[in-house]
Amino acid sequence: MYRTHTCGELRIEHINNTVTLSGWVQKMRNLGGMTFVDLRDRYGLTQLAFNMETNAALCEQARKLGREFVVKVEGTVQERSSKNPKMPTGDIEIKVEILSILNKSVTPPFTIEDETDGGDELRMKYRYLDLRRNPVRKNIELRHRMAQEVRRYLDAQKFIEIETPVLIKSTPEGARDFIVPSRMNANQFYALPQSPQVFKQLLMVAGYDRYFQIVKCFRDEDLRADRQPEFTQIDCEMAFVEQNDILDTFEGLARHLFKNILNVTLEDKFPRMAYDQAMTLYGNDKPDLRFDMKFVDLTDLAKQKDFVVFNQAEYIGGICAEGCAGYSRKELDAMTQFVQKPQIGAKGLIYVKYNEDGSIKSSVDKFYTEEDLMAWVELFKAKPGDLLLILPGERNKTLPQLSELRLEMGERLGLRDRKKFVPLWVVDFPLLEWDEDSQRFHAMHHPFTSPKTEDVPLMETDPGKVRANAYDLVINGVEIGGGSIRIFDEDLQKKMFDLLGFTPEEAQDQFGFLMNAFKYGAPPHGGVAFGFDRWVAMFAGIDSIRDVIAFPKNNSGRDVMIDSPSPVAQAQLDELFLKMVQPK
RNA sequence: GGUCUGGUAGUUCAGUUGGUUAGAAUAUCGGCCUGUCACGCCGAGGGUCGCGAGUUCGAGUCUCGUCCAGACCGCCA
């Protein structure tokens, strides 16, 4: 037998018990006459004590252990003569009687400690060692508990978990597909799913009216800290529901997870905000509502004087940064540089200081009187001591720039508290967005999203104005999930494909199976998918989803541990009728 | 596809206007030490300065190219 207990469970009440423990050598402390060894497993640390006086041979053996050796010990639990209140097992130690080395270890390339000395790259290469560290293990365990709670909640709501295929068909819409060549079907390819979208809709047609799956999805696009080529969704679909039924059901899921994992009670009804309003007030379709700082539209008021920068601007908007009137020239310059970064791209930043003493100082004093500026201050509802930050320009460029500025100010003012959680449903997304490159409309959500009934006539006259029955769940400015009520009518779906620029033949070729299915009694249905990795990262209080994935890929989509992707043998290529081409 | 930052001991980093033998901490190894738990003390080994070219009497340092890593933009229905 390898163990009677884990390394995390022995306490003072186990004194005099004879126990067997197995684990890894975390640390050795050789004091000469005595040697202490910290033994580690998933559950904790237990101190092993060896004494030269009582058993010299055993103590000599213990001194030869190295970091990360795997050992089994048998011995007696004894009370420590000097206890360690920082450790759960700090009151006891094992007086070892038998020590067996189960496996040796070479010296690990970095220290297996909470604060490791290893850099990211090295820890990725030796991920199996990094996973031994507490902070990483905690994230993986958190992920497990969240997955279990998702299943518990959805099962109680009569959802059933159904697996869908991974080798499916490539479709032109959306992200780039990963493709898999077929050996048995020469020159034909499977694609890995970007999501199980069409399968879950087919399950609705099949009458499985509440489906879910915690499932891998694949998108061959460039990566970020919060994006991986393969990622996990909580994928859900319901039949015989309207938008509100879905929002209520999944608000329930969110509340369940927050309560059972973080012990955070969220409000009973999540606020809902139309997409247009989110863009106007926050310049962003996923506003962070942990703080207010709404945009104020200054366009009309500011255009009354001889200031050409404003008079030429389509839109002038600003935010009120509370208590920032005391900002120095240096701080204001830093803010200006922030909005001028290429990623943000504003030309400049205008400020108005509403000082504590009621006086006003601005960067546009030459063009506006104190009375003019006082009218701005009133429009912003600013208090003495506040600072107005204003950006002019094209509306659809300035709103996102102002959003970046708002988030930066929120950060500087400490308003983005990681312990605070503010959920929001953003609803009424546009059905389509115009794509300049291809000179056609793209589906903003996906091609199966239903337009709002009252907007259907606009599909003929002004497709860009059509709103969709689509919604995103946003928490703290992070898009946690999104979904829509689907089209379940064959004719409407055809019209949608037509708007997206598919010929009837192309639509039939790509999505014929779905439209055929709709001929056989498709129920009204809709669903939602949550980015599970992002949700776990948020609960873990971190920004990178890599830290909540056991074996993540790097920036370039490589797994540096197994070194993939990698070339394959010529014979494999031949079997698949593939030929290599040298990249330019 | 683009912008920016970085690459020096096993590891994390420092390295001055371009100038002697490239340092520190930690890890590793050896010695001492009977209550440590970031043990302590003494000592030792450990470097193609990512790679290639160039400028120079002289390059870790400057220039160009290249590879790798990270962040961001484009992209991601």
Side-chain angles (χ1 to χ4, degrees):
Chain A
M1 185 171 51
Y2 284 112
R3 55 184 173 185
T4 56
H5 297 79
T6 69
C7 294
E9 66 177 304
L10 293 172
R11 294 292 183 278
I12 196 89
E13 60 265 26
H14 294 97
I15 282 175
N16 294 326
N17 285 16
T18 302
V19 298
T20 306
L21 297 181
S22 290
W24 287 262
V25 173
Q26 172 76 25
K27 192 140 211 171
M28 308 259 299
R29 287 177 297 278
N30 180 353
L31 276 66
M34 300 200 71
T35 292
F36 298 102
V37 175
D38 289 339
L39 192 67
R40 184 196 71 240
D41 64 14
R42 217 182 96 193
Y43 308 92
L45 283 178
T46 297
Q47 176 165 288
L48 312 178
F50 299 87
N51 196 316
M52 215 54 168
E53 226 163 57
T54 50
N55 192 338
L58 192 67
C59 201
E60 285 295 346
Q61 205 190 335
R63 286 184 185 189
K64 294 200 182 81
L65 294 173
R67 280 164 57 204
E68 301 305 314
F69 277 36
V70 185
V71 301
K72 180 177 101 165
V73 295
E74 292 176 55
T76 313
V77 181
Q78 64 183 14
E79 186 169 8
R80 294 201 199 178
S81 61
S82 59
K83 296 181 178 165
N84 184 348
K86 287 185 248 171
M87 293 174 74
T89 61
D91 287 348
I92 57 97
E93 66 194 358
I94 310 297
K95 186 188 171 199
V96 176
E97 278 127 32
I98 305 173
L99 167 68
S100 7
I101 296 174
L102 302 176
N103 211 338
K104 293 182 293 188
S105 170
V106 297
T107 304
F110 53 86
T111 56
I112 314 293
E113 285 163 17
D114 290 5
E115 297 289 332
T116 180
D117 63 1
D120 291 341
E121 195 180 348
L122 200 65
R123 285 164 42 218
M124 287 277 252
K125 184 169 177 188
Y126 298 91
R127 185 66 173 174
Y128 44 88
L129 297 181
D130 203 27
L131 286 163
R132 290 180 183 173
R133 297 173 50 241
N134 278 321
V136 183
R137 199 199 71 236
K138 285 201 169 98
N139 290 340
I140 301 299
E141 288 175 351
L142 170 67
R143 186 183 177 107
H144 162 75
R145 292 207 317 279
M146 288 180 72
Q148 295 312 307
E149 289 300 331
V150 167
R151 292 198 165 95
R152 193 156 76 91
Y153 174 84
L154 291 175
D155 179 61
Q157 301 289 320
K158 298 196 163 46
F159 283 79
I160 58 176
E161 187 167 11
I162 305 173
E163 290 165 89
T164 52
V166 170
L167 295 175
I168 65 165
K169 176 178 175 140
S170 182
T171 55
E173 277 284 308
R176 202 175 286 116
D177 284 321
F178 282 99
I179 61 169
V180 179
S182 167
R183 177 182 55 83
M184 291 189 286
N185 302 272
N187 297 315
Q188 295 191 357
F189 298 85
Y190 300 101
L192 304 182
Q194 296 174 28
S195 80
Q197 183 59 38
V198 292
F199 290 95
K200 65 177 175 176
Q201 291 193 246
L202 293 169
L203 286 168
M204 294 304 109
V205 176
Y208 295 82
D209 62 357
R210 289 186 168 206
Y211 142 92
F212 87 99
Q213 189 179 187
I214 298 177
V215 63
K216 275 288 177 72
C217 303
F218 305 87
R219 293 175 192 177
D220 187 7
E221 296 291 347
D222 287 4
L223 306 178
R224 294 284 187 281
D226 65 348
R227 273 196 244 155
Q228 286 271 303
E230 49 177 313
F231 61 98
T232 304
Q233 284 190 344
I234 307 167
D235 191 53
C236 309
E237 196 79 2
M238 305 170 80
F240 303 116
V241 287
E242 294 169 337
Q243 179 165 309
N244 275 336
D245 302 316
I246 293 183
L247 301 195
D248 289 346
T249 302
F250 292 101
E251 278 186 34
L253 173 63
R255 265 196 299 278
H256 180 88
L257 287 177
F258 272 94
K259 185 68 206 168
N260 287 282
I261 301 288
L262 294 184
N263 197 25
V264 166
T265 305
L266 294 181
E267 54 195 304
D268 260 0
K269 191 82 177 167
F270 293 1
R272 296 174 189 185
M273 184 183 297
Y275 170 87
D276 277 342
Q277 198 187 3
M279 293 307 290
T280 304
L281 294 180
Y282 301 99
N284 196 318
D285 64 1
K286 43 178 197 293
D288 185 347
L289 295 193
R290 280 175 294 183
F291 63 107
D292 191 32
M293 213 186 282
K294 288 191 193 73
F295 296 0
V296 173
D297 187 338
L298 199 62
T299 311
D300 293 335
L301 196 54
K303 283 198 175 197
Q304 294 167 3
K305 287 292 163 68
D306 195 21
F307 184 36
V308 69
V309 173
F310 277 3
N311 293 344
Q312 284 178 352
E314 177 192 7
Y315 168 86
I316 304 158
I319 53 173
C320 174
E322 284 185 31
C324 293
Y327 263 31
S328 64
R329 177 62 187 265
K330 195 176 164 189
E331 284 169 305
L332 289 166
D333 283 351
M335 295 316 299
T336 304
Q337 276 170 17
F338 174 81
V339 297
Q340 287 177 333
K341 283 196 300 189
Q343 301 95 305
I344 297 182
K347 291 204 176 67
L349 177 68
I350 291 99
Y351 70 84
V352 178
K353 286 180 176 179
Y354 185 26
N355 294 318
E356 291 285 0
D357 62 8
S359 67
I360 289 187
K361 171 85 182 87
S362 87
S363 50
V364 288
D365 284 341
K366 260 199 286 186
F367 305 97
Y368 298 92
T369 66
E370 188 147 344
E371 289 74 46
D372 295 332
L373 296 175
M374 192 54 83
W376 297 11
V377 163
E378 278 166 25
L379 187 66
F380 276 83
K381 298 191 174 66
K383 304 180 301 298
D386 290 354
L387 173 71
L388 311 186
L389 296 170
I390 297 159
L391 291 175
E394 281 174 64
R395 184 183 160 87
N396 63 5
K397 286 187 180 161
T398 306
L399 288 173
Q401 291 165 356
L402 204 49
S403 172
E404 293 293 337
L405 180 62
R406 174 180 175 270
L407 292 172
E408 173 69 14
M409 287 312 297
E411 193 71 53
R412 280 171 174 251
L413 294 173
L415 301 173
R416 304 181 73 185
D417 179 359
R418 283 184 182 280
K419 296 274 162 57
K420 186 177 174 187
F421 296 98
V422 182
L424 168 74
W425 286 109
V426 178
V427 299
D428 299 350
F429 276 83
L431 182 69
L432 303 163
E433 59 186 344
W434 182 254
D435 183 68
E436 283 295 333
D437 291 341
S438 55
Q439 288 290 302
R440 67 177 187 95
F441 283 108
H442 280 214
M444 190 148 178
H445 186 50
H446 58 53
F448 318 108
T449 300
S450 71
K452 288 199 168 294
T453 313
E454 62 267 35
D455 288 359
V456 168
L458 287 171
M459 290 175 82
E460 313 282 354
T461 56
D462 192 356
K465 284 262 161 44
V466 178
R467 290 168 306 159
N469 291 312
Y471 35 81
D472 277 358
L473 177 60
V474 175
I475 301 176
N476 295 359
V478 176
E479 184 197 324
I480 287 292
S484 63
I485 298 295
R486 324 300 185 190
I487 297 170
F488 67 106
D489 173 80
E490 188 194 354
D491 290 333
L492 187 57
Q493 186 66 66
K494 279 183 176 162
K495 190 182 285 181
M496 182 70 178
F497 284 135
D498 183 45
L499 273 181
L500 294 173
F502 287 71
T503 65
E505 292 72 27
E506 285 167 343
Q508 188 61 36
D509 183 50
Q510 297 292 337
F511 298 108
F513 59 92
L514 188 68
M515 285 188 291
N516 282 342
F518 285 173
K519 292 176 181 168
Y520 293 93
H525 63 284
V528 67
F530 297 96
F532 187 54
D533 311 279
R534 277 186 199 173
W535 206 339
V536 179
M538 168 179 285
F539 273 30
I542 53 183
D543 292 322
S544 173
I545 66 170
R546 284 173 209 173
D547 298 334
V548 300
I549 296 172
F551 298 104
K553 292 187 172 49
N554 75 3
N555 233 5
S556 329
R558 299 200 66 86
D559 182 325
V560 295
M561 184 180 63
I562 63 171
D563 193 24
S564 73
S566 59
V568 297
Q570 186 60 46
Q572 282 177 290
L573 294 175
D574 292 344
E575 257 182 352
L576 296 166
F577 315 100
L578 293 177
K579 204 169 148 187
M580 305 296 284
V581 176
Q582 285 306 311
K584 286 192 289 260

